[in-house]
Amino acid sequence: MNTRIRSFAFSAVMGVSFTVLAGPAAADGDAGKGQQVFQQCAACHSIQPGQTLMGPSLAGVVDREAGSVAGFNYSDALSSASFAWTEERLDSYIADPSGDLPGNRMPFAGMSNGEERRDVIAYLKTLSSQQ
């Protein structure tokens, strides 16, 4: 898990210290910027529920089980995958689809810019209610 940990010590004032677990790095993205970056994905992926293009619809993809959009012909790698598209998993996959999940058919080399990936994931999170 890619969770960042921040510790705050208040020993000088209160004699107490505690740790706060911040959310995953992807939560820090800017959905507005992500919508713009998503344009490079839109040639193959719809954001409309049930509408498949070359790839499955990405409406509601965050926390959805991999290979689960009804009617889409997934690769063996994705149809037999046993994970959900968490923010961390999306980040890894978008960075390097063929390295992250060998045997998938997505013809995309990957997005090396971590900030752009976080922004796209933040945008995808806004589509969760469109399932």
Side-chain angles (χ1 to χ4, degrees):
M1 179 178 260
N2 228 356
T3 302
R4 291 175 283 158
I5 299 174
R6 295 187 179 123
S7 295
F8 300 92
F10 292 98
S11 57
V13 178
M14 303 289 286
V16 177
S17 67
F18 60 95
T19 300
V20 175
L21 293 176
D28 295 336
D30 180 315
K33 289 180 182 176
Q35 185 175 15
Q36 295 302 313
V37 176
F38 183 81
Q39 294 311 304
Q40 60 186 295
C41 312
C44 298
H45 292 282
S46 170
I47 59 168
Q48 301 304 314
Q51 181 182 36
T52 61
L53 302 175
M54 181 183 259
S57 169
L58 296 183
V61 69
V62 178
D63 294 326
R64 180 171 71 203
E65 289 297 312
S68 66
V69 172
F72 186 77
N73 184 23
Y74 287 99
S75 64
D76 289 341
L78 272 166
S79 62
S80 64
S82 58
F83 61 84
W85 289 115
T86 62
E87 293 177 50
E88 294 85 1
R89 189 63 200 235
L90 283 165
D91 184 61
S92 179
Y93 187 74
I94 294 168
D96 182 14
S98 61
D100 183 65
L101 190 62
N104 80 77
R105 293 189 303 242
M106 188 162 90
F108 179 66
M111 186 180 295
S112 62
N113 184 309
E115 183 176 349
E116 288 183 349
R117 289 195 312 273
R118 286 187 297 275
D119 292 344
V120 166
I121 293 166
Y123 173 63
L124 292 173
K125 285 176 62 176
T126 69
L127 306 176
S128 293
S129 62
Q130 295 186 25
Q131 295 186 56

